[in-house]
Amino acid sequence: SQTIHQWPATLVQPVGSPLSLECTVEGTSNPNLYWYRQAAGRGLQLLFYSVGIGQISSEVPQNLSASRPQDRQFILSSKKLLLSDSGFYLCAWTRTGQYNEKLFFGSGTQLSVL
Amino acid sequence: AQKVTQAQTEISVVEKEDVTLDCVYETRDTTYYLFWYKQPPSGELVFLIRRNSFDEQNEISGRYSWNFQKSTSSFNFTITASQVVDSAVYFCALIEHGSGNTGKLIFGQGTTLQVKP
């Protein structure tokens, strides 16, 4: 069976510090991978998606970036965090070529930038 | 452009009451898929249902039921005899066939349901 792992679960970082959130998927190959952000009291906003290694599409201009160094690994990064980067970050995957199937979500990372 | 609207920000009911969560969507695509997800306090989104645009049959799963009406572009979710464990944020979402292989799901803002004992 497939599983998705996301870490850390919580993170408190000062403004201007770097960020690295990691997500890995097991039990499948060449998944579509996604990073969503959920600001407090708001819906989910798609940040990045990837349909293959090294292929990253950005949905929202910001100081965040994403990378996919391996087939089942998706990393969200920032060189310098802003206060506005606080939120709940969710990684998700779906089977390649299956655009209409449900997304499988990780357990999320609560990021607080102080 | 595609859009999903969940006008109810918060709903509070007493246990055993029925509750309906509204979802209205906008899309220009004739082929699309609608979803409902549940986000309990733990944070992880849990898939509840997927419905394609060619299937307007209502669906029932235990205490959950969904009413899909293309004429009003709505995909409403009803919980019958609500329980405290139903307390969560519920998201309606849409994906268009025109999104290709990207799998870009567009979410509504979510409805927070509180079920009081």
Side-chain angles (χ1 to χ4, degrees):
Chain A
S1 63
Q2 301 89 6
T3 56
I4 179 170
H5 302 280
Q6 185 180 343
W7 67 94
T10 60
L11 191 60
V12 180
Q13 292 284 94
V15 170
S17 64
L19 173 73
S20 180
L21 302 182
E22 190 162 344
C23 171
T24 59
V25 180
E26 297 178 356
T28 189
S29 59
N30 197 28
N32 286 358
L33 296 170
Y34 307 85
W35 280 110
Y36 281 86
R37 178 171 62 197
Q38 183 179 18
R42 302 183 64 180
L44 284 84
Q45 179 185 42
L46 178 62
L47 301 177
F48 301 95
Y49 69 91
S50 171
V51 298
I53 295 176
Q55 301 179 59
I56 308 295
S57 296
S58 174
E59 289 295 296
V60 181
Q62 58 211 320
N63 70 321
L64 298 172
S65 63
S67 62
R68 185 170 177 173
Q70 300 181 41
D71 181 43
R72 291 168 292 175
Q73 184 184 29
F74 205 25
I75 298 172
L76 183 68
S77 304
S78 174
K79 293 182 179 179
K80 289 184 178 182
L81 283 169
L82 305 173
L83 286 174
S84 58
D85 292 323
S86 294
F88 190 60
Y89 289 81
L90 285 157
C91 181
W93 74 274
T94 190
R95 290 193 298 173
T96 185
Q98 303 298 323
Y99 76 94
N100 56 10
E101 287 197 356
K102 62 184 178 183
L103 287 175
F104 297 90
F105 285 86
S107 53
T109 296
Q110 183 64 55
L111 172 65
S112 299
V113 182
L114 306 177
Chain B
Q2 65 271 30
K3 183 180 179 181
V4 176
T5 302
Q6 294 178 255
Q8 305 151 307
T9 305
E10 295 183 14
I11 300 176
S12 181
V13 299
V14 177
E15 206 169 20
K16 298 185 182 178
E17 286 184 10
D18 298 346
V19 58
T20 296
L21 309 181
D22 297 333
C23 173
V24 175
Y25 62 92
E26 296 176 27
T27 177
R28 295 180 181 176
D29 214 326
T30 56
T31 302
Y32 52 90
Y33 294 79
L34 295 163
F35 300 77
W36 274 95
Y37 282 86
K38 174 183 180 179
Q39 186 180 38
S42 60
E44 182 176 346
L45 269 77
V46 178
F47 167 81
L48 295 178
I49 190 172
R50 181 189 74 161
R51 173 66 72 210
N52 74 57
S53 55
F54 299 108
D55 182 3
E56 287 194 72
Q57 272 194 332
N58 291 331
E59 181 157 340
I60 299 174
S61 176
R63 295 184 297 107
Y64 294 171
S65 62
W66 290 269
N67 183 0
F68 176 31
Q69 292 194 348
K70 290 179 71 172
S71 60
T72 56
S73 297
S74 64
F75 186 42
N76 297 337
F77 172 34
T78 297
I79 302 175
T80 303
S82 60
Q83 300 176 2
V84 173
V85 293
D86 295 326
S87 297
V89 182
Y90 291 86
F91 290 97
C92 181
L94 162 76
I95 188 168
E96 298 175 325
H97 176 73
S99 68
N101 185 38
T102 64
K104 290 160 53 177
L105 205 54
I106 305 301
F107 284 86
Q109 293 297 95
T111 297
T112 300
L113 173 65
Q114 183 181 30
V115 181
K116 299 178 180 178

